[in-house]
């Protein structure tokens, strides 16, 4: 079992705190930072690190459980039950390798992080005009 995710809460985002936790777990699952069998931090650990009420974390964990992404094991903690990494986007996939090469080329050409982000978002919007859920 490897290190767990570290939550970052943005109190000015307008997104409910428990949803921020859910989304960060989902993102960690998509990126392969969390895998099946990994243990999530306890509600008390999250509260200590983020100053979030432990009940907020428990609400997020219940939502993850409802979505089939985690399970609470009484006395043992909350554990990831499945991955969200698509096979074609794993750490050693050709798509990820191509993207890393593109990012390295953008950096080599002097683009800053915000400039790369803007370029990516523009290209993304052209390919997925309906947003992230569009296919």
């Amino acid at each position: 079992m490897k290190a767990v995710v570290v939550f970052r809460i943005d109190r000015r985002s307008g997104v409910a705190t428990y949803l921020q936790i859910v989304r960060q777990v989902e993102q960690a699952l998509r990126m392969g930072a969390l895998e099946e069998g990994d243990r999530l931090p306890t509600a008390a650990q999250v509260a200590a690190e983020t100053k979030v009420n432990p009940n907020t974390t428990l609400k997020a964990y219940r939502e993850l459980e409802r979505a089939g992404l985690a399970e609470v094991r009484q006395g043992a903690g909350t554990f990831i039950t499945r991955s969200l990494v698509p096979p074609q986007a794993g750490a050693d996939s050709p798509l990820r390798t191509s993207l890393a090469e593109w990012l390295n080329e953008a950096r080599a050409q002097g683009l800053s992080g915000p400039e790369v982000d803007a370029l990516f978002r523009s290209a993304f919007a052209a390919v997925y005009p309906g947003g992230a859920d569009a296919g």
Side-chain angles (χ1 to χ4, degrees), residues 19-78:
L19 280 178
Q20 290 184 51
I21 293 170
V22 169
R23 290 177 181 168
Q24 288 176 44
V25 169
E26 290 171 342
Q27 182 65 12
L29 286 167
R30 281 188 206 92
M31 299 299 296
L34 283 174
E35 298 174 344
E36 187 174 336
D38 285 346
R39 183 177 175 271
L40 292 172
T42 66
Q45 289 170 323
V46 175
E49 292 173 6
T50 63
K51 309 297 186 243
V52 167
N53 186 309
N55 289 328
T56 300
T57 303
L58 294 173
K59 182 176 182 179
Y61 286 5
R62 283 192 301 273
E63 181 63 22
L64 290 165
E65 191 171 27
R66 188 195 63 72
L69 299 175
E71 72 175 351
V72 176
R73 299 179 193 159
Q74 204 57 38
T78 303

Side-chain angles (χ1 to χ4, degrees), residues 48-127:
E49 292 173 6
T50 63
K51 309 297 186 243
V52 167
N53 186 309
N55 289 328
T56 300
T57 303
L58 294 173
K59 182 176 182 179
Y61 286 5
R62 283 192 301 273
E63 181 63 22
L64 290 165
E65 191 171 27
R66 188 195 63 72
L69 299 175
E71 72 175 351
V72 176
R73 299 179 193 159
Q74 204 57 38
T78 303
F79 294 83
I80 297 299
T81 55
R82 69 183 176 96
S83 172
L84 290 178
V85 175
Q88 69 274 24
D92 57 352
S93 76
L95 283 175
R96 188 178 180 108
T97 300
S98 294
L99 181 57
E101 289 170 357
W102 181 84
L103 289 167
N104 285 325
E105 179 63 23
R107 175 182 273 171
Q109 290 190 26
L111 271 68
S112 68
E115 290 168 334
V116 169
D117 185 55
L119 181 58
F120 173 82
R121 288 177 188 276
S122 172
F124 182 87
V127 175

